[in-house]
Amino acid sequence: MAFFTGAAQVCAVFASMSVAAIGWFANAQFVLAPLCLVAAVAIAIVVKDDKKVVEIRKQEEEADRAAVA
C-alpha cells in the first residue's frame, strides 16, 4: 500500500497534465476509470480471505463472550 501511495504521488503530475489537456469529465472517463478497474482487479488477486485469520477471530470472539458471561 505504501508503494502505491508513493507511486500515486509521483503520478500526480501526469494526472494534473491530463486534466489540463482533456478536462475533468474526459479525464475521469478515459484515465481514472480504467485505473480504478486495474486497481480493483489487482486487489481481488492479491487480497484473499485468509482462513486462519477468520478462525483466530472466531476464537477471540468466543473467548470475549466467555469472559463477559
Side-chain angles (χ1 to χ4, degrees):
M1 186 170 169
F3 171 77
F4 287 110
T5 301
Q9 291 172 351
V10 171
C11 294
V13 173
F14 301 113
S16 64
M17 283 193 245
S18 69
V19 168
I22 62 178
W24 286 103
F25 188 71
N27 187 55
Q29 284 185 326
F30 303 122
V31 178
L32 297 178
L35 289 176
C36 289
L37 184 61
V38 169
V41 170
I43 288 171
I45 292 171
V46 173
V47 178
K48 300 191 181 200
D49 186 26
D50 192 358
K51 292 181 182 179
K52 290 182 181 179
V53 172
V54 172
E55 290 175 6
I56 291 171
R57 287 183 184 162
K58 285 182 183 177
Q59 290 174 355
E60 289 175 349
E61 289 175 1
E62 290 173 2
D64 289 342
R65 288 181 193 146
V68 171

